[in-house]
Amino acid sequence: MELAVCYDHSSLELAWSIFLEITAVFLIMAAFAAMRLIALSGKDPVERFQPA
């Protein structure tokens, strides 16, 4: 049994879909990196930067 496909398989649509997926992954990674930096910046900031 074959399923009907109701959307275009053009290369432009494929490229746009891949671009959106990659952009979404990078946005999620950037959000996690920002949360990590915020979490690290809150831990003993004064003691970490004191001269030896």
Side-chain angles (χ1 to χ4, degrees):
M1 181 173 112
E2 293 184 25
L3 299 174
V5 178
C6 300
Y7 57 91
D8 186 23
H9 285 293
S10 70
S11 59
L12 182 61
E13 292 291 325
L14 178 63
W16 183 248
S17 174
I18 292 171
F19 172 74
L20 288 178
E21 289 178 12
I22 291 173
T23 303
V25 168
F26 280 131
L27 285 174
I28 291 169
M29 290 172 55
F32 279 118
M35 288 189 300
R36 178 83 173 142
L37 286 174
I38 291 170
L40 287 177
S41 68
K43 293 182 179 178
D44 304 327
V46 176
E47 295 154 359
R48 202 171 27 178
F49 295 116
Q50 284 181 347

